[in-house]
Amino acid sequence: MDISKKIAEELKINKWQVDAVIELIDEGNTIPFIARYRKEKHGSLDDEQLRMLDERLRYLRGLEERKETILASIEEQGKLTDELRAQIVAAETLVLLEDLYRPYKQKRRTRATIAKEKGLEPLADAIIADLNVSPAELAADYIDEEKEVATIEDALAGAMDILAERFSDEADYRTEIRKMTREDGQIVVSEKSGKGAKAGEEEPEEANGPGKNKKLADRKSVYETYYDFTSPLKKLQGYQVLAINRGENEKFLSVKIDAPEERILRYLSSEIIEDKYVSDQIEGKQIADVKDDAKMLIMLAIADSYKRLIAPAIERELRSDLTEAAEDGAIRVFGKNLTQLLMQPPIKNQVVLGWDPAFRTGCKLAVVDGTGKVLHTVVVYPTAPQNKIEETKKTVKALIDKYDITLISVGNGTASRESELVIADMLKEVKKPVHYVIVNEAGASVYSASKRATEEFPEFDVGQRSAVSIARRLQDPLAELVKIEPRSIGVGQYQHDMNQGKLSEALGAVVEDCVNHVGVDLNTASASLLEYVSGISKPIAKNIVAYREANGEFHSRAELKKVAKLGPKAFEQCAGFLRITGGKEPLDATGVHPESYAAAKKLLDNLGFEKNDLGSGFTGLSLIVKNKNDLAEKLGLGIETLSDIIKELEKPGRDPRDEMPKPILRGDVLEMEDLKEGMILKGTVRNVIDFGAFVDIGVHQDGLVHISQLTNKGFVKHPLDVVSVGDIVEVKVLSVDIKKKRIGLSMIL
C-alpha cells in the first residue's frame, strides 16, 4: 500500500504534504513544532490535520506490519496462494485483514475441529462437491464406534459442523453480511427486569463531578428512554450508543441487534449452492429428516453457520464499531470543549479569593495574589449545620480590606448555592467594587489529593489546596488545569465509559496544542505546565524547575542547554514555545524560534529598527513590509515563517486567549424560583454535548439549550457548529421544573 497516497486521499491534501510530514515525524519532531515552525515544508497544515495524519500513519503502518505477520504465518503453513497474497496485500482495514486470516488462524477446539479429528472432513468435501449424491450413503462409510461416530446422523452432524465453520470463515461472506446488517439492521433495547442494584441500595457517586449518591430508582429513571427503544443502526446517534452501553453495563438494559436474517440466508444459499434459501422448507427440520437430500442438508449447515457462528460475531463487531465511532465522536466533542476551556482568557493582576464550598466541614478559603502566590488560607462555616453567616461575613470583609481582593472565585460543587447567597448578600455591604464568579470545580478534588498537589503544597490539607486551585483556575485556567488529568475536567459526555487509553491520548494532545499555542513563561511555569511543551518530557520538566531553583531565573533560551537531559533535539523542539521576559535577548520574549533570530535581526535592520526597541512591539510592521516575496528571499525565509516573525515583532508575547470572551462577573444571585418563561438572560456555555449545550445563567443549575433551540438559521449538524465552551450567550427561558431541577432555554430570541 502507498501509505502517503492513501492518507492524502483521505485528508484531501497533496501527497507531497503527507510525505513531508512523515519525514518530519520520522525525524523525531513533535506535532506542535511541525505545525508552528515547519510550515513551508508541509504547506501550512494546521494542528488538527497534522494530528489526523499522524493517527492514520500509525494505523496504516500497524496494518502493514500485521500483513507481514499474517503472510509469514500462512506461508509457513504452506497455504499461501498468489490470489490470497494479493487479497492480503490489498486489504485496507484490520477487519478485512483478520477476515482473510480467519481460516488459517490457530483456533481453539471447536465442534468442527473435533469432527476433523474424527476423520469427517472428506465426507464434508464430498457432500459439498456433488449435491446429487445421497449424503446418507456417503456417511455410512464413516461410522466408527471408536471415534464416537455411532450412526449416519453422527457422521453427517460432524460434516455439517465442518461446513458451517468453513462458511463462517469465508471473508467475502462476512464482508457482505456485515454490510447488510449495518445497512438494514436495527438495535433493539428493552428494560432488563430483576437486575441492577438491590432495592433501596445507593449507587456510587459519579466520578466526573459534583453530585450526591442516587437511589436505584433515580439511576433507573436515567434509562427510561431506552426501556422500549428501536432504531436503525445507521441512524443511531453516538450519545445514544454510549447511554445504551452504560445502561447495559449497569444491568438495567438488554440489547440486541436484529439483522435482516432471511435476506442474509438467501444470499449465503445463492453463493454456496446457487439456490434460493427457503426458510419454511427447513424450519424445524433435523439432520435425520434431510439426510438423503444434500441441498437441504447444506441449507441446515448454512443456517447453523449464520446463527451460531457468524451472527454473534458480526453483532459483537458492529457493537464494537458503533461504540468506537461513538467514542471517537465524544472524544472530538470533549477535545473541542477542553480547548475552549483551556483557552479562556486569564484574569491578570487581580487578587482572588478562592472559595471551596462545603457543609459540615466548612468552606475553605484561599487568598491568591496576582502572580498566583498563596497569601492566606482560612475555614469559615456559613452553611449548615453551623450557619455562622455573620462571622463568615466579618472574616471575608477583613480579608478583602487587608489583601485588596477584587474577585471571589466560587466552586460550583456541594454547598455552592448556599455560599453564593452569603457572598452576594455580603458584597452589598462592601464599599469597594468586588465581584464573584462561579467556576467549574470539576477535577479540583482530584488535584488536591494528588501527589502533584502534595509536592506543591505539603503544608496544606486537601481543602486548602482545592481552594487555591479554584482561585488560580480563574487567574490562569490553562496553567492550573494542566495539573489535572484532562478526563477529570468534566466538559464531555460519558468520558468514564470509554476507552481510557484513547481518551487520555487524545486529550493530552489537546492540552499540548493549547499550551504550545499560548507559549509558556520559562521562569514561572510549573513542571506540570512545562511537560506539555513540545519536546519536554516529565523528567526534563522537573530538571528545568530544579535548575531554576538552584541557579535562579533563566536569562536566555540558550541557557536551557545547561539543563540535564535537555539535548539539541529537545532544545530545537521546545525553545520557540518558551518565553523569557526582560532577559538578555529581546527576541526570547517572542514566539520567534532561535533558528530565525539572525533573519529577524536582519529584517529589523532592513527596516531601520533596533531589536532592543522591541518593548511592546513594532505596531504596523506588516504595513511597512510591501513585498513579502522579495523580502523572504532576501532573508532566506519562507513566506509563512516571515509572516509569523512579523506578527511576533508587532505584538511580542501576545496571548491568543485575550481574544476569547471574558467570564461573567456577578454581584447578585438568582433563584430558580425567580425564573419566568420568556425571561431573557445572559449566561456562559459550560458544556457542549451531542444534543445541545448547558448554559450557566446564575441559578446554580445549568439550563439546557436543545440542539433545536440553538439557532433558526437552518439545520444544525452538531451544537459545536454554533456554540463553544466559554461562550457568553443570551438565552430565553422556555421552561422551569423546580422539582426535577431542569431549566429549558432557547437561543432563538
Side-chain angles (χ1 to χ4, degrees), residues 684-702:
T684 305
V685 177
R686 293 295 186 199
N687 198 6
V688 181
I689 51 178
D690 287 345
F691 53 85
F694 286 100
V695 178
D696 173 8
I697 54 173
V699 295
H700 190 56
Q701 184 66 42
D702 292 346

Side-chain angles (χ1 to χ4, degrees), residues 342-346 476-479 518 655-660 662:
L342 294 176
M343 295 297 286
Q344 286 188 85
D476 192 338
L478 180 60
V518 171
D655 192 330
R657 295 174 295 173
D658 290 340
E659 299 169 7
M660 301 290 286
K662 301 289 189 291

Side-chain angles (χ1 to χ4, degrees), residues 316-539:
R316 285 192 300 271
E317 288 174 14
L318 290 180
R319 288 287 306 276
S320 177
D321 289 349
L322 287 168
T323 299
E324 185 175 0
E327 287 181 351
D328 288 346
I331 288 172
R332 280 194 297 274
V333 171
F334 199 148
K336 297 281 187 185
N337 289 342
L338 182 60
T339 298
Q340 296 299 318
L341 185 64
L342 294 176
M343 295 297 286
Q344 286 188 85
I347 294 182
K348 301 173 183 175
N349 305 318
Q350 292 199 44
V351 181
V352 176
L353 175 66
W355 186 303
D356 183 16
F359 285 111
R360 182 181 56 81
T361 57
C363 300
K364 287 76 177 175
L365 312 185
V367 181
V368 179
D369 74 8
T371 66
K373 180 183 177 183
V374 182
L375 303 177
H376 185 80
T377 66
V378 68
V379 181
V380 293
Y381 300 89
T383 55
Q386 290 91 341
N387 295 313
K388 297 179 180 179
I389 295 175
E390 292 307 316
E391 184 180 314
T392 296
K393 286 183 179 181
K394 184 178 178 181
T395 300
V396 176
K397 286 177 187 176
L399 291 175
I400 290 172
D401 289 337
K402 181 177 180 179
Y403 295 106
D404 198 22
I405 293 168
T406 53
L407 270 176
I408 302 175
S409 179
V410 187
N412 67 341
T414 304
S416 172
R417 188 63 180 165
E418 291 75 10
S419 295
E420 188 183 1
L421 290 168
V422 173
I423 293 167
D425 190 48
M426 179 203 65
L427 291 183
K428 295 173 185 175
E429 303 168 11
V430 176
K431 295 178 181 179
K432 64 197 317 184
V434 181
H435 294 88
Y436 72 88
V437 177
I438 302 296
V439 300
N440 186 344
E441 69 173 38
S445 59
V446 175
Y447 160 72
S448 61
S450 68
K451 180 182 177 183
R452 185 171 282 169
T454 304
E455 291 172 350
E456 188 173 6
F457 300 112
E459 73 281 13
F460 288 177
D461 62 28
V462 292
Q464 291 170 303
R465 294 172 194 154
S466 185
V468 173
S469 179
I470 288 169
R472 285 179 168 180
R473 62 176 61 190
L474 185 63
Q475 291 180 316
D476 192 338
L478 180 60
E480 191 61 26
L481 291 173
V482 292
K483 301 174 185 176
I484 301 166
E485 187 72 26
R487 64 190 178 201
S488 298
I489 292 176
V491 286
Q493 55 184 4
Y494 300 100
Q495 58 261 38
H496 298 282
D497 299 315
M498 60 183 69
N499 184 311
Q500 295 301 296
K502 185 192 290 186
L503 178 65
S504 294
E505 182 182 353
L507 297 184
V510 168
V511 178
E512 184 182 26
D513 287 342
C514 289
V515 169
N516 289 284
H517 185 56
V518 171
V520 170
D521 188 322
L522 183 55
N523 285 318
T524 61
S526 65
S528 305
L529 188 57
L530 287 167
E531 69 187 42
Y532 281 105
V533 174
S534 168
I536 296 181
S537 62
K538 285 187 179 182

